[in-house]
Amino acid sequence: MTILVLAEHENGAIAPATLNTVAAATKIGGDIHVLVAGQNVGAVGEAAAKIAGVAKVLVADNAAYAHQLPENVAPLLAELACGYSHVLAAATSNGKNILPRVAAQLDVDQISEIISVESADTFKRPIYAGNAIATVQSSAAIKVITVRATGFDAGAAEGGSAAIEVVSAAHDAGKSSFVNEELAKSDRPELTAAKIVVSGGRGMQNGDNFKHLYALADKLGAAVGASRAAVDAGFVPNDMQVGQTGKIVAPQLYIAVGISGAIQHLAGMKDSKVIVAINKDEEAPIFQVADYGLVADLFEAIPELEKLV
Amino acid sequence: MKVLVAIKRVVDYNVKVRVKADNSGVDLANVKMSMNPFCEIAVEEAVRLKEKGVATEIVVVSIGPTTAQEQLRTALALGADRAILVESAEELTSLAVAKLLKAVVDKEQPQLVILGKQAIDSDNNQTGQMLAALSGYAQGTFASKVEVSGDSVNVTREIDAGAQTVSLKLPAIVTTDLRLNEPRYASLPNIMKAKKKPLEVLTPDALGVSTSSTNKTLKVEAPAARSAGIKVKSVAELVEKLKNEAKVI
C-alpha cells in the first residue's frame, strides 16, 4: 500500500492540517508520499520532506496550480493517483474543494472528514452535525478520503528525510482563473490549531464588545471564534465561525461566551477537552455539554476572568 | 439563460436525531423533513438571478423518494418554473447523485447549476464538485457572492483564511454557503400556484445511470456522551477549577 497525501500550504509554508493528515495516513499503514502542488513551492517541498514518516515528496510547480484551482489540481491528482491505494487530503476548504473532483474523475465514492481509521478500508466519520458516527467501508481500488484534523494528533514536522521528485505534468483546463483574495489578518493563533479558544455569540451584542474577548484571548494565548449568530449579525468575519458549516475545533479549553449552544454550533466544538460556558440564561443548551458552567452577565464575568487568569 | 438548481429533502435542521437501537442508521420515522438549508439558499439565488433578468428559466431537480415532491413544490412556490424528480427509494451516495445530475444536465443544458455546499444529513460536501468533474465544468464552491457577466461568472468563495474570488467560464457549477443570501418565504398564493407548475418524474434507469457504490455503511452509533459538568458560582471559582482541577490554564 502506498498513500498519496495532498499537502495543504499557504504563503510558502506547510499548513498544520497536513501533519494531522500524515498522522491519519500513518494509521492506515504503508509508504506515504506527499504531493505539493502550487507555484514557487520549492521551499514547501523541502519542508514536506522533513515531515516524519514521509517517504517521498512530489513537487508540481506550475503557474496553473497557483491558488490551488480545482479545475487544474484535480486532474493532476487523478493522474498521479493511479498506483496509489489511498489519496488523502485535510478537510480544509481546499481539500473539500479539490478531493471530490478527484474522486469523481476516478469514478469512486469519497469518504469525507474521517475521525478515525479502523483498518485500511474502514473509517469512522460524523454525520447529522456530529449527532451520529458512521463506520464506512470502501471497496474502491483507490480510496479517496478527507481527514478531519481534530481527529488525529499532528505528527512531527521534523525528523524525516524524504526524497524530492519533480512532477512535470501541467494541467491547465483554462476554465477558471483567480481574481483576488481578501485574507483576514490576525496575530492570534490559528483557530483550528489553537490550544485554547474563546468564542462569542449573539450575547456579545455588537462587534465592538468582542474587544473583551480579544483581551481575554491575548492573556490566555487563545484564538477567538464565534457562533453563526455573531457572524450573521456582522460582529466578526465569517472565517471565525465555529460549527457544522464553519470550522471544527477541538482545543484543550473552549470558552463559550454568550452562545446558546445550537446543534450546529456544538458540531464544531463538542470534542474540546474542557468546555466552559458563560451565559446569563441558565436554561441555555450549552450548559448540557459544558464541564464548567457560569450563569452570569458576560460583561461583568469576562473582565473579571481576564484579571484573574 | 437556464439555471438548474438541485435540492435535497433532509431531516429538519432543528431536529435532534436519534440513532436506531440496532445501529443500522438514524431514526427518521415521524421526523419533520424539510428542504436542506443550503438548497434553500441555492433556490433563492436562482430566483434573484431571474429577478435581475440574468436567468430566464429555473429548473429545480431533486433525487430521492416520492415524498421529495413536497420540497420540489416548495421550490416552485419560491419561484422555480418547473421541477424534475429522479425517483429513487434507496439512499444514494454523492457520486451516484452527481451521475444522475449529470444526466439531467445533459438533457437540460443549463448555463449555471446551483447546489448547496453540503447536505446537513450526510455532511459530505461532495456532490457539486463531483458534478463539476463529471460535466467538465468549472466549480465555484462555498459561494458568498455570484455575479454573472457575459459568458463568465465571478464567484466569491468563503475559504479558511477569508474570501477568494474566482472567475469561471460558463457553463459552471456553484455551491452555496450560508452567507450568499437570506432565503425568502413562500406566500400562500404562490404555494397554490406552485401546485399547477409542471413536475416531471424520472428514474435512474430511464436516465441510464448506474447508482452502484463503492462505499458501505457498516454501522451508525451515537457519539460518546460527555460526562455531566458542574455549575460554578463565581469567576474566582471557575479560574480555580480550570487551574487546579482541569489544569488547562
Side-chain angles (χ1 to χ4, degrees):
Chain A
M1 277 194 310
T2 316
I3 302 167
L4 182 60
V5 172
L6 175 66
E8 173 87 17
H9 60 89
E10 51 198 11
N11 307 325
I14 286 271
T18 307
L19 300 177
N20 305 80
T21 312
V22 169
T26 309
K27 293 213 166 155
I28 294 169
D31 278 352
I32 300 169
H33 296 178
V34 172
L35 169 67
V36 176
Q39 192 177 19
N40 302 326
V41 286
V44 181
E46 281 163 32
K50 291 195 185 108
I51 298 174
V54 174
K56 190 157 87 173
V57 174
L58 308 173
V59 177
D61 202 326
N62 193 298
Y65 306 136
H67 307 293
Q68 309 271 314
L69 292 174
E71 295 80 5
N72 302 345
V73 176
L76 168 72
L77 204 47
E79 181 186 298
L80 294 172
C82 302
Y84 286 94
S85 59
H86 297 72
V87 176
L88 267 58
T92 53
S93 55
N94 248 331
K96 290 175 185 176
N97 195 26
I98 295 168
L99 230 57
R101 203 169 168 114
V102 175
Q105 281 193 255
L106 296 172
D107 195 26
V108 299
D109 283 301
Q110 179 187 302
I111 305 182
S112 292
E113 305 224 12
I114 62 162
I115 52 168
S116 85
V117 174
E118 303 298 294
S119 71
D121 67 357
T122 307
F123 309 90
K124 286 193 176 183
R125 60 175 303 261
I127 52 175
Y128 290 91
N131 287 302
I133 308 294
T135 305
V136 184
Q137 188 175 43
S138 169
S139 60
I142 305 168
K143 293 163 182 58
V144 179
I145 296 164
T146 61
V147 176
R148 181 173 287 190
T150 57
F152 300 88
D153 292 330
E158 301 282 338
S161 56
I164 296 178
E165 194 177 296
V166 172
V167 178
S168 55
H171 294 270
D172 191 348
K175 290 181 188 295
S176 58
S177 57
F178 172 84
V179 177
N180 64 38
E181 218 162 44
E182 273 176 55
L183 303 183
K185 288 187 184 67
S186 173
D187 300 332
R188 294 185 189 85
E190 210 258 313
L191 192 52
T192 52
K195 288 204 162 50
I196 303 178
V197 173
V198 180
S199 277
R202 198 193 306 272
M204 298 306 296
Q205 291 177 6
N206 59 51
D208 192 40
N209 284 335
F210 264 75
K211 65 175 188 260
H212 301 298
L213 296 191
Y214 294 137
L216 174 63
D218 288 342
K219 209 144 170 210
L220 291 167
V224 178
S227 70
R228 181 186 167 191
V231 174
D232 281 352
F235 300 173
V236 290
N238 59 279
D239 52 274
M240 285 171 64
Q241 186 182 327
V242 172
Q244 182 183 18
T245 63
K247 288 180 178 150
I248 312 288
V249 301
Q252 294 290 305
L253 173 61
Y254 188 90
I255 306 179
V257 183
I259 292 176
S260 66
I263 296 172
Q264 293 79 11
H265 185 73
L266 300 183
M269 46 63 81
K270 68 179 177 179
D271 291 325
S272 305
K273 188 161 170 279
V274 174
I275 298 173
V276 170
I278 301 174
N279 204 304
K280 64 181 175 189
D281 173 14
E282 60 180 313
E283 302 294 323
I286 190 80
F287 287 119
Q288 289 163 20
V289 299
D291 298 279
Y292 302 106
L294 175 65
V295 180
D297 182 349
L298 66 94
F299 294 107
E300 286 164 20
I302 295 302
E304 194 185 343
L305 185 57
E306 190 207 325
K307 253 182 244 145
L308 290 176
V309 294
Chain B
M1 67 180 194
K2 190 193 274 188
V3 178
L4 183 72
V5 182
I7 63 167
K8 185 176 184 185
R9 173 184 170 91
V10 298
V11 66
D12 188 86
Y13 72 96
N14 276 317
V15 173
K16 191 165 189 311
V17 294
R18 255 202 295 261
V19 172
K20 285 187 197 164
D22 65 358
N23 294 122
S24 63
V26 299
D27 194 355
L28 295 179
N30 304 317
V31 167
K32 188 184 176 204
M33 304 295 278
S34 304
M35 194 192 303
N36 181 44
F38 292 99
C39 303
E40 287 182 358
I41 295 170
V43 173
E44 175 67 29
E45 194 64 19
V47 174
R48 290 189 190 188
L49 286 172
K50 194 174 176 191
E51 286 168 349
K52 273 190 237 163
V54 176
T56 47
E57 188 188 22
I58 302 169
V59 182
V60 60
V61 55
S62 190
I63 290 157
T66 318
T67 44
Q69 290 195 19
E70 286 170 33
Q71 280 64 46
L72 287 170
R73 290 287 172 205
T74 305
L76 292 171
L78 291 168
D81 296 296
R82 60 190 172 88
I84 300 170
L85 173 66
V86 180
E87 202 170 299
S88 168
E90 54 181 330
E91 206 161 309
L92 300 175
T93 62
S94 301
L95 183 63
V97 170
K99 285 179 180 173
L100 291 165
L101 290 175
K102 160 76 164 59
V104 175
V105 165
D106 287 345
K107 196 165 161 281
E108 295 287 340
Q109 298 287 321
Q111 283 295 98
L112 193 61
V113 186
I114 313 180
L115 303 87
K117 81 163 174 178
Q118 77 190 61
I120 59 163
D121 51 0
S122 57
D123 280 337
N124 273 328
N125 197 332
Q126 300 173 1
T127 307
Q129 295 90 315
M130 287 178 160
L131 175 61
L134 297 174
S135 320
Y137 295 166
Q139 67 189 51
T141 51
F142 327 141
S144 59
K145 196 172 171 195
V146 176
E147 283 177 315
V148 178
S149 61
D151 61 353
S152 68
V153 56
N154 270 19
V155 179
T156 301
R157 311 175 49 234
E158 295 197 358
I159 59 170
D160 289 337
Q164 178 195 63
T165 304
V166 289
S167 171
L168 313 174
K169 281 198 180 135
L170 293 174
I173 311 285
V174 168
T175 75
T176 64
D177 214 321
L178 279 174
R179 273 160 287 278
L180 180 58
N181 60 48
E182 186 89 31
R184 70 193 66 187
Y185 292 97
S187 67
L188 187 58
N190 284 343
I191 292 171
M192 300 313 288
K193 273 185 220 153
K195 291 183 178 176
K196 295 203 180 75
K197 289 186 181 176
L199 193 158
E200 183 185 2
V201 180
L202 299 169
T203 62
D205 284 345
L207 291 168
V209 174
S210 156
T211 55
S212 64
S213 156
T214 56
N215 277 1
K216 194 169 120 192
T217 300
L218 301 181
K219 63 178 172 185
V220 175
E221 299 159 292
R226 290 188 74 95
S227 49
I230 56 162
K231 289 238 171 94
V232 294
K233 294 206 167 46
S234 67
V235 173
E237 190 188 348
L238 175 65
V239 172
E240 191 272 324
K241 294 273 190 204
L242 290 177
K243 278 188 175 153
N244 302 322
E245 201 176 270
K247 298 188 171 53
V248 282
I249 56 172

